[in-house]
Amino acid sequence: MTQNQKKLIAAAAVFSIAWGICPAANAMHIMEGYLPAGYCIAWGVLSLPFLVAGFMRIKKTLDENRRALTLLAMSGAFIFVISSLKIPSVTGSCSHMTGTGLGAILFGPCTVSILGLIVLIFQAILLAHGGLTSLGANTFSMAIAGPFISYGIYMLCRKCKLSRLATVFLAASAGDLFTYCVTSVQLALSYPSEAGGISASVLKFLGVFAPTQLPLAVVEGLLTTAIVLCLESYAKPELKSVGYLKEV
């Protein structure tokens, strides 16, 4: 069996497992109809510039390097699989891994905004996870804010000469946690506490998310590191073509 055949079988197995597990989950991102209409529009408008930049970035990447398509597709599949596995945390939302750190490390945060948007649309339409009205808010928290933090942490750790695998772990974990910080702010802005206002509501949502999200962030960091280890073993030419291994 050739190496390409082995990769094809492994990819098919991942997608089969994902589709077998995902329909059984009943938790969601910020669900359909949970945010007021004005906030839905505002978050969508705020996400738009990043999506335009992401589309242009993907087009440029593929025009210059067609070999990047495989890694790009794999990054999107990784986001889809692990962000579809959810643990209920609070009415109207949930805790789950995001998977966006891998794409941010390999391609930059703007590219991940498009990958995340595609994943969120599929989940909203096919799996009833999240919603179309809340698509802008979910895109901003999971596909924009989280990836930018992941990329920032990754670049900072590289400048500090931290080991590559430790850098990947910290970047992926931080991006996951920051996604839920932004989600907490989004929910708090829509539903401020009567006693303490928005700040009290943010702390309340963060307190509800934290018990499940902290260990999930660690798990996501480990999973992302494991994926990178596999890629470094079996896909070095592809990693070099996107610049991840240009220093070695």
Side-chain angles (χ1 to χ4, degrees):
M1 185 180 295
T2 66
Q3 190 66 37
N4 287 336
Q5 289 173 329
K6 290 180 180 179
K7 290 180 180 179
L8 182 61
I9 291 173
V14 169
F15 275 104
S16 297
I17 293 171
W19 282 102
I21 294 174
C22 292
N26 56 12
M28 307 179 184
H29 306 278
I30 298 178
M31 68 181 184
E32 190 77 68
Y34 193 74
L35 295 178
Y39 287 94
C40 293
I41 296 172
W43 288 114
V45 171
L46 193 58
S47 300
L48 190 58
F50 298 96
L51 295 172
V52 172
F55 176 80
M56 295 173 63
R57 179 63 179 172
I58 289 177
K59 186 177 184 303
K60 180 181 179 182
T61 297
L62 296 182
D63 286 344
E64 295 176 350
N65 178 22
R66 297 298 296 180
R67 297 182 67 176
L69 182 60
T70 302
L71 285 179
L72 192 65
M74 187 214 67
S75 298
F78 184 63
I79 295 172
F80 178 82
V81 170
I82 71 171
S83 68
S84 296
L85 308 177
K86 307 177 188 304
I87 298 175
S89 182
V90 65
T91 300
S93 191
C94 66
S95 286
H96 60 86
M97 293 178 284
T98 65
T100 56
L102 177 64
I105 289 169
L106 296 179
F107 297 101
C110 289
T111 296
V112 182
S113 66
I114 296 295
L115 300 180
L117 174 63
I118 294 171
V119 167
L120 288 167
I121 290 174
F122 269 90
Q123 290 177 343
I125 295 176
L126 300 180
L127 304 180
H129 295 163
L132 295 178
T133 60
S134 57
L135 186 61
N138 288 328
T139 297
F140 187 84
S141 60
M142 190 181 101
I144 295 173
F148 267 91
I149 288 298
S150 289
Y151 186 74
I153 295 294
Y154 175 71
M155 297 303 293
L156 178 62
C157 290
R158 283 186 60 182
K159 288 184 178 181
C160 294
K161 306 298 182 181
L162 205 62
S163 71
R164 188 159 58 242
L165 294 182
T167 296
V168 170
F169 172 80
L170 291 174
S173 299
D176 181 287
L177 287 175
F178 191 70
T179 294
Y180 282 89
C181 292
V182 175
T183 300
S184 296
V185 171
Q186 290 173 325
L187 294 172
L189 288 172
S190 300
Y191 300 99
S193 172
E194 294 183 0
I198 294 174
S199 58
S201 188
V202 169
L203 292 176
K204 180 185 72 174
F205 284 115
L206 284 174
V208 175
F209 283 133
T212 49
Q213 201 56 41
L214 286 172
L216 283 178
V218 174
V219 171
E220 177 167 347
L222 293 173
L223 283 174
T224 305
T225 304
I227 294 293
V228 170
L229 273 173
C230 291
L231 291 175
E232 289 182 356
S233 298
Y234 299 104
K236 280 188 177 180
E238 288 79 5
L239 290 178
K240 289 179 181 178
S241 72
V242 298
Y244 176 78
L245 289 179
K246 63 183 179 181
E247 75 275 10
V248 298

